[in-house]
Amino acid sequence: MKQLALSKVYQLLEPGPVVLLTTARKGRDNVMTMSWHMMVEFTPPLVACIVSSADHSYAALRATKECVIAIPAVKLAQKVVAIGNASGRDVDKFKTVGLTKVPARAVAAPLIAECFANLECRVVDTRLTNKYSLFILEVVKAWIDPRQKNPRTIHHQGYGRFAVDGRTITIRSKMP
């Protein structure tokens, strides 16, 4: 074994695909790239996510207590990175990168048409928000695009490096 710098630990434990988080506040929609999230409950579906107080989306999420998690396939990787490299304080990222907003049913934040899945969410717990910027979201509506068959997602490994989902395997499990 070789010792690893503690600053690189997150590169080993990235919990899931890179997603896009949309918010809407005061008539203005925004989208940010997010890779720090994880499921914390099956029913109702609860998602824990980190949205830094330095992110423009933080204030909107805090104020409105709702958002959409849009899950992009690998074909959107360049746009996902472009979104992550810009601030909604300075630019309309939907317009800049060319993403299509679709009205959600349960929240004000928009869905993203180009993503293969969209999860409408409400903030249900902020007890760790001040200390860790951690929000617990309840998914209240979920949408998939049936035209996107077997989408492959990207997973952030740090410093502009991403892994792409590979082949899927099935192993018998006793879990429901």
Side-chain angles (χ1 to χ4, degrees), residues 51-143:
V51 178
S52 169
S53 59
D55 291 323
H56 183 61
S57 297
Y58 178 90
L61 186 58
R62 192 93 202 223
T64 66
K65 297 189 174 354
E66 58 183 40
C67 64
V68 168
I69 295 175
I71 308 173
V74 67
K75 67 184 178 184
L76 294 176
Q78 292 292 332
K79 291 182 180 195
V80 168
V81 171
I83 289 165
N85 286 333
S87 172
R89 285 182 193 89
D90 308 321
V91 65
D92 178 342
K93 293 190 266 185
F94 285 99
K95 199 177 282 184
T96 302
V97 302
L99 291 177
T100 309
K101 296 186 267 186
V102 176
R105 297 267 178 92
V107 301
L111 310 178
I112 299 176
E114 292 82 3
C115 289
F116 71 85
N118 283 270
L119 311 175
E120 297 183 41
C121 302
R122 290 208 174 95
V123 175
V124 293
D125 192 335
T126 58
R127 286 178 285 182
L128 295 175
T129 302
N130 287 337
K131 188 169 184 177
Y132 297 109
S133 300
L134 187 136
F135 293 84
I136 303 295
L137 310 173
E138 180 179 345
V139 179
V140 295
K141 287 242 182 255
W143 307 95

Side-chain angles (χ1 to χ4, degrees), residues 22 28 37 42 50 54 59 62-63 79 91 96 102 109 113 115 129 140 147 154 157 161 173-175:
T22 72
R28 187 150 184 239
H37 55 81
F42 292 107
I50 303 292
R62 192 93 202 223
K79 291 182 180 195
V91 65
T96 302
V102 176
C115 289
T129 302
V140 295
R147 297 168 299 173
I154 59 173
Q157 295 183 327
R161 187 180 165 107
S173 170
K174 292 183 181 181
M175 299 298 292

Side-chain angles (χ1 to χ4, degrees), residues 4-14:
L4 178 69
L6 295 177
S7 63
K8 296 183 183 253
V9 168
Y10 83 95
Q11 296 172 355
L12 301 173
L13 295 176
E14 284 296 329

